[in-house]
Amino acid sequence: MTPTAIRLTTFVTFVLLVGAVPAGIPTASAENPSHATLPELPVDDPIPDRENTSRAIINAAYGRGDIDSEQRILLLATSLCDPERLPEEYRGTAPEKCGTPVADEVERALPGLSGPVASRIRSMRSRPSCTNTYDTTHFRIHFDTSGPHAALDWPDPWYVHAVAAAAESSWVDIVDEMGFRAPPNDGSDPDGGGGNGLYDIYLQNLSGYYGVCYGSYTVPATPRTDCTSYVVIDNDYAGFGYVDPTDPMTVTVAHEFGHSCQNSHDYTEATWYKECTSVWVEDMVYDDIDDYRFYLTYYYSYPYESLEWQDGTGLRMYGSCVWNFFLAEHVSPDVVPSIWYELESAADIYVLMDVELSSRGTSLEEEFAEFALWNWFTGSRHDGTHYEESAIWPTVAAQRNYSSYPLSGVAPLAAHRPDHMAWNFIHFTNPGGGDDLIEISYDGPFLASTPNAAWLVTKDTGDATAEWGAISLNGWGNGTETVTGWDELSQVGLIVVNACTSTDAMGYWVDADLATPVEGAFFASATASDQVTLRWSIPNTAGMVGLDVERSRHEDGPFETLNALPLDVSSPGEYVDEDVLPGDELWYRLVARLDDGTDDVVGPTPAHVVLPGSSPLALSRPFPNPSASTTTLELVMPYEDRASVTVHDVSGRVVATVLDRTLRRGRHTVTWDGTDRNGHEVAAGVYFCSLATPDAVLTERILRIR
């Protein structure tokens, strides 16, 4: 650290997510019934009234107009730095999880305050002065032996030693094991740091806060927006509601030290993600305490609000830690610290998350869609294959519940349409009646404009839960899926995901109807290496107006209809599929068209067949050839791979690129309209069409005439 270090009197680039609730953001209240009332916290919560904090009371007074913005900042600073002087009417009954967001906001506001108020806050904001210190390998613990800030049970030093042990454990886990950057050395700070280069933790009677990490001075020698810092934690956690004070102490040390490491990456990062990370970090260090779970309710009550959105309590940012739990368990434990290294570039947080995830072969869009699915499996729906600890988490409520069918064009309440990086849960409850199927159709926005997804999950009559799978969506965001075995299920859940990072209030529609499958048998057999014969027998064809044969190259679809016109319902029936290749693996199903306008699948499962042999890479002769208009060629891919089809003139120059993308295994048709790259018609003459894959190149001659 050099003498040119700059005091952090403002965090001007911080994203403001703490303070009075901005106009237009709904909160859970009687005045806003469109938002769900927060469910009760678990009965074993040591602090059942977590919302009644000093910060919440001060912000509410500001929202009512009882105090101005300058008074608000002064009261917040007092609640954090000098709680004994905080007026009684602003004292909450519950401690705030973390004072770091308040400290950051006060620092941002300081340059705009009047001189006397700013001076008063700076005097409160200075490092605490303690009579004693205790040094470890990486830390200096500052404490008093008497007075209001005396360490718990002094002269017995056990609490001081416990703080020191918690700090060293946090360093080992967060820095050495997880790989976060260590806090910058503050030994050369203009204020002298804490007396040496060790990281400083101060024990003080905070009353209304578990702990706080204060940023101190920028570090000019690095290209990052990093800063030195120190941590203050409560000296005894008396009145916090815990039987054992080491529980809140240890998780707070880990939480606030997590903030100090974040400040070594980028002290200007969004407040919600700083808290999201520190709450996750504390559980990584002290997994058996699980203090984080009491804040999940504040995230799960509003799944339709964006990942970074904050409710009126200000507690949702702590509950957003579930996002990091998901990333660590589904992608890799090291993905969270890796994201913090990406964040050092100071670009958009979602862009940088996508950069990190893309480097691991996935994407933000894919992971967020999966994240929404995982969040159905919490509480009583915990199944042992998703979150490790979600059996002790709250269960997320559905935005809509249905038990009467059919449903046509139903949609969420306008206030519950999922914003960017958010989701909806819709539950379909079985009313009884013996139907075997429920068909659910989803109509969302175009995938190219608003990435979205729809999942189906099930709960059987014994309350066992399971994934059913994704509804396969086309480019328009439409898809239909039939859930079989409905008569053995108590509920089917639809999870609608808005995985876009910008589009809010995503609209969509859902249809649902019940049915009993058409009885019958359906068989597929490979009668030759390039031919599949399909046969069926339907005992009762009453109510049927036609049949369709559908085929897919994957067991779970999508299926395409093979017959151009509906097939006769006569039974038994037969259909021969000659559009196949040696070695193809295919799935078929027979769909009955009913006279009420609906469709139904014959038989319980798709018929499966594997054709003998294999197909080589092939490119057919052009047709017509010669040609004065469009030329058509057929190609055969022996397996899924990247392929390009280009047209060259006699000199070898590429005239046009007809195709360049990954193709699935099988036959494909391509056409060339006789124009070049600029859309101009080429001259008459000889041209060559080439099919190129990573393994081979095939070429056919084309004669163009006028």
Side-chain angles (χ1 to χ4, degrees):
M1 180 70 69
T2 68
T4 59
I6 303 171
R7 186 74 170 89
L8 289 177
T9 56
T10 178
F11 283 28
V12 293
T13 56
F14 267 55
V15 176
L16 178 57
L17 291 176
V18 179
V21 182
I25 294 183
T27 59
S29 67
E31 291 75 25
N32 189 17
S34 66
H35 278 63
T37 301
L38 289 171
E40 293 182 4
L41 291 169
V43 294
D44 57 345
D45 184 1
I47 310 169
D49 189 18
R50 290 180 179 266
E51 299 170 34
N52 191 36
T53 63
S54 294
R55 180 167 71 96
I57 294 171
I58 294 167
N59 286 335
Y62 175 71
R64 294 191 303 267
D66 297 344
I67 55 176
D68 61 26
S69 59
E70 191 166 86
Q71 291 172 315
R72 172 179 167 273
I73 293 297
L74 178 58
L75 286 169
L76 286 174
T78 304
S79 73
L80 183 61
C81 303
D82 197 1
E84 293 301 315
R85 293 180 180 271
L86 185 67
E88 189 68 31
E89 63 267 32
Y90 297 108
R91 296 186 182 183
T93 59
E96 183 78 28
K97 172 71 172 172
C98 178
T100 303
V102 174
D104 291 350
E105 185 180 4
V106 169
E107 287 290 337
R108 290 194 300 271
L110 272 174
L113 301 178
S114 62
V117 172
S119 178
R120 183 175 173 185
I121 290 176
R122 287 192 177 96
S123 66
M124 288 191 292
R125 166 65 175 79
S126 59
R127 282 179 183 255
S129 177
C130 297
T131 57
N132 293 74
T133 61
Y134 177 76
D135 290 353
T136 68
T137 303
H138 299 102
F139 295 88
R140 167 163 286 188
I141 314 301
H142 302 255
F143 63 98
D144 287 338
T145 58
S146 61
H149 301 295
L152 177 64
D153 288 344
W154 192 267
D156 187 333
W158 77 267
Y159 186 74
V160 174
H161 293 169
V163 171
E168 285 297 336
S169 292
S170 298
W171 185 291
V172 169
D173 287 354
I174 299 172
V175 177
D176 297 339
E177 298 296 331
M178 296 185 198
F180 283 92
R181 289 191 186 277
N185 188 305
D186 68 352
S188 299
D189 276 3
D191 66 357
N196 59 19
L198 297 175
Y199 192 83
D200 300 293
I201 298 178
Y202 296 83
L203 309 188
Q204 296 282 285
N205 183 14
L206 291 177
S207 301
Y209 296 87
Y210 280 66
V212 56
C213 177
Y214 288 103
S216 296
Y217 294 87
T218 59
V219 184
T222 65
R224 305 183 301 277
T225 50
D226 53 349
C227 70
T228 58
S229 62
Y230 61 91
V231 161
V232 181
I233 68 167
D234 198 77
N235 63 322
D236 56 11
Y237 290 94
F240 279 62
Y242 293 84
V243 175
D244 184 351
T246 60
D247 283 351
M249 180 274 290
T250 52
V251 295
T252 301
V253 168
H255 183 109
E256 302 304 338
F257 182 67
H259 282 318
S260 71
C261 294
Q262 295 159 21
N263 288 340
S264 189
H265 289 277
D266 176 19
Y267 69 75
T268 68
E269 198 44 67
T271 300
W272 78 268
Y273 196 58
K274 293 176 76 173
E275 293 303 325
C276 169
T277 302
S278 275
V279 176
W280 172 76
V281 158
E282 72 183 49
D283 192 64
M284 295 301 101
V285 180
Y286 293 103
D287 182 48
D288 59 336
I289 296 178
D290 297 328
D291 193 70
Y292 72 91
R293 65 193 172 107
F294 302 117
Y295 298 94
L296 296 178
T297 295
Y298 298 96
Y299 181 77
Y300 280 158
S301 293
Y302 308 102
Y304 44 85
E305 300 286 2
S306 303
L307 183 61
E308 76 273 19
W309 179 84
Q310 296 308 312
D311 66 350
T313 68
L315 302 178
R316 191 179 193 256
M317 58 185 168
Y318 307 129
S320 65
C321 66
V322 67
W323 170 237
N324 278 346
F325 276 96
F326 167 77
L327 291 177
E329 294 185 43
H330 186 251
V331 181
S332 173
D334 68 343
V335 71
V336 177
S338 294
I339 286 173
W340 274 93
Y341 281 90
E342 293 289 350
L343 293 176
E344 292 174 2
S345 67
D348 178 83
I349 188 170
Y350 289 134
V351 170
L352 295 174
M353 285 182 181
D354 190 50
V355 168
E356 178 57 34
L357 293 170
S358 296
S359 71
R360 297 168 182 263
T362 181
S363 68
L364 180 62
E365 178 184 330
E366 292 176 76
E367 293 307 316
F368 189 79
E370 187 82 16
F371 168 63
L373 170 66
W374 275 41
N375 288 324
W376 196 79
F377 295 93
T378 66
S380 62
R381 297 195 291 257
H382 172 79
D383 67 346
T385 62
H386 293 85
Y387 295 111
E388 177 188 359
E389 297 182 341
S390 65
I392 61 172
W393 296 2
T395 300
V396 185
Q399 276 63 66
R400 286 293 185 114
N401 291 275
Y402 297 102
S403 59
S404 180
Y405 310 95
L407 300 168
S408 179
V410 296
L413 295 172
H416 289 183
R417 292 174 181 166
D419 283 346
H420 67 278
M421 303 295 283
W423 75 89
N424 281 170
F425 284 176
I426 297 175
H427 290 168
F428 302 97
T429 300
N430 192 337
D435 290 298
D436 296 330
L437 309 173
I438 181 170
E439 184 178 78
I440 298 173
S441 297
Y442 168 81
D443 183 358
F446 290 166
L447 297 183
S449 62
T450 305
N452 62 106
W455 299 93
L456 291 175
V457 290
T458 63
K459 183 166 68 172
D460 67 20
T461 53
D463 288 338
T465 56
E467 291 185 26
W468 181 267
I471 297 179
S472 181
L473 304 182
N474 59 25
W476 290 274
N478 303 332
T480 299
E481 180 70 21
T482 300
V483 178
T484 57
W486 169 250
D487 55 331
E488 298 178 355
L489 300 175
S490 63
Q491 187 180 81
V492 169
L494 171 66
I495 304 168
V496 176
V497 188
N498 181 354
C500 181
T501 59
S502 58
T503 299
D504 288 334
M506 185 186 83
Y508 62 91
W509 294 267
V510 176
D511 298 339
D513 200 2
L514 308 181
T516 298
V518 175
E519 292 185 6
F522 180 59
F523 308 95
S525 59
T527 50
S529 62
D530 57 355
Q531 180 177 290
V532 174
T533 299
L534 305 157
R535 296 183 176 90
W536 59 87
S537 175
I538 305 173
N540 183 5
T541 60
M544 297 184 192
V545 295
L547 297 170
D548 288 332
V549 173
E550 297 183 343
R551 182 184 66 193
S552 175
R553 297 185 182 277
H554 303 280
E555 183 176 8
D556 55 355
F559 285 84
E560 59 178 346
T561 301
L562 300 183
N563 48 288
L565 297 173
L567 303 176
D568 188 84
V569 298
S570 300
S571 185
E574 181 177 297
Y575 181 90
V576 178
D577 181 12
E578 296 180 335
D579 184 25
V580 295
L581 295 171
D584 273 346
E585 182 175 15
L586 303 167
W587 284 263
Y588 294 89
R589 64 186 186 187
L590 184 66
V591 178
R593 294 188 179 186
L594 307 181
D595 55 13
D596 62 0
T598 63
D599 298 335
D600 210 346
V601 177
V602 178
T605 58
H608 178 222
V609 64
V610 178
L611 282 85
S614 60
S615 300
L617 181 71
L619 179 65
S620 72
R621 292 184 177 180
F623 179 83
N625 193 22
S627 174
S629 57
T630 298
T631 302
T632 300
L633 301 96
E634 185 178 82
L635 60 93
V636 176
M637 295 290 292
Y639 43 79
E640 185 173 299
D641 208 340
R642 189 80 184 182
S644 65
V645 176
T646 53
V647 178
H648 307 255
D649 61 18
V650 292
S651 68
R653 181 176 62 90
V654 176
V655 174
T657 299
V658 180
L659 178 146
D660 186 13
R661 60 185 174 87
T662 298
L663 296 179
R664 60 173 174 77
R665 182 183 183 276
R667 288 191 178 95
H668 302 271
T669 300
V670 295
T671 59
W672 177 44
D673 61 3
T675 62
D676 62 16
R677 296 180 182 182
N678 299 317
H680 301 139
E681 187 174 354
V682 300
V686 176
Y687 295 87
F688 298 92
C689 183
S690 295
L691 164 64
T693 70
D695 298 324
V697 177
L698 302 178
T699 302
E700 288 290 336
R701 179 176 175 273
I702 299 175
L703 178 61
R704 294 292 299 178
I705 59 176
R706 292 289 183 120

